[in-house]
Amino acid sequence: MSAPGQLPFVSVVIPARNEESNIRTCIEALHRLDYPKDRLEIIIADGMSGDRTREIAESLGAIVVENPGLYVADGRHVGFEHSKGEFVAFSDADCVVDRGWIRDALKYFDDPTVGAVSGPTLVPPNETRFGRGAAWAFSLAVAGGASCQADTITRAREVRDMPGGNCICRREVIEQVMPLATGLVASEDVEMNWRIRKNGWRLLQVPEFRVWHYKRPTPKRLARQIYRFGVTRCQCGKISREMLGFWHWAMAAWMPLAVVLVAILAVWTPKALLAFAGAAVVGLVGLFVAAWIGTRSFVAALNAVFAFLILLMAWPVGFLHEVLFPARYFREHSVHRRRT
């Protein structure tokens, strides 16, 4: 524990794999934190990168540890095992933290019931046009309650979920929940949040604890990310149904229901099918107009519509794939869960 009057020691854990293009910006932002350097350590959990991620991180003074499990869940665990902070902050290699990131969050732990703190996830000013469009599409998921990566938080509030790329936790809290399910390619933060709350701790989102987060730069990489979100949310549901809400079931069901509806309309009356298609087109045009107003960019608005369609299609495909063809680890885990 810290001596009286001394700021607590904080460990920042960042899982990374082949993040050569991002890791320097990420670590340099951490070096600019308004927090004493001797009360802070930066740990990069490297998932066996094939590029210069490790070399760059070490050259910037970060502690680099190997993550043979490759994925983020394993990286958070490995990084935590090597940490010594009274508080452990988690971020991602494609994030840039605010200068007051650590100091501004610690005051909320004066409440002994608070186990972890998170905050806004903002769009970087130099984000690509596709990234800006994707960020706007993500904001729709936040508004609908399907994502916790809000970009606007006006007051401290208790939440059920917080993004793993922007949170700080008491050490004792992480000791209680680690290790996470090692088979998770993504959504490890969903399980972590669930375990924290199951242990009686509160999660807070606060305005001051800010990061800027770059979205996937291409449609292909975004689709792959969202597909994985769908797969791993289903896997989390196999650990506990409490991690699945109404919107997850609705997202998983809409695609097969739409296929059935189109088939019925095609057999029943082609005119009804045309009306259905027309309504979809009108909806997309309305979405484009709203995105144009929101992003103030014609190109970003087009990308927002494209990104929205990726979100709408890739997530249920991933979820349903895990339902029909479950990964071996979670198939066995699910059987064990039903027996216990």
Side-chain angles (χ1 to χ4, degrees), residues 87-124:
F87 292 87
V88 181
F90 293 107
S91 191
D92 291 328
D94 54 1
C95 289
V96 177
V97 303
D98 187 45
R99 189 169 182 271
W101 193 54
I102 298 294
R103 189 185 292 271
D104 290 342
L106 291 177
K107 63 185 179 184
Y108 291 98
F109 290 103
D110 290 342
D111 182 339
T113 67
V114 173
V117 170
S118 183
T121 304
L122 307 173
V123 180

Side-chain angles (χ1 to χ4, degrees), residues 226-243:
I226 301 306
Y227 170 84
R228 285 181 167 183
F229 284 166
V231 169
T232 52
R233 177 60 80 158
C234 182
Q235 291 172 342
C236 285
K238 294 177 182 179
I239 297 172
S240 171
R241 294 292 175 86
E242 294 178 18
M243 286 185 263

Side-chain angles (χ1 to χ4, degrees), residues 94 134 138 149 186-187 213-216 219-232 310-311 314-315:
D94 54 1
F138 268 90
Q149 297 199 28
S187 299
H213 183 211
Y214 290 92
K215 300 302 182 187
R216 296 298 188 268
K220 181 178 180 180
R221 290 183 62 182
L222 179 64
R224 184 181 182 188
Q225 179 191 41
I226 301 306
Y227 170 84
R228 285 181 167 183
F229 284 166
V231 169
T232 52
I310 290 174
L311 296 178
W315 197 95

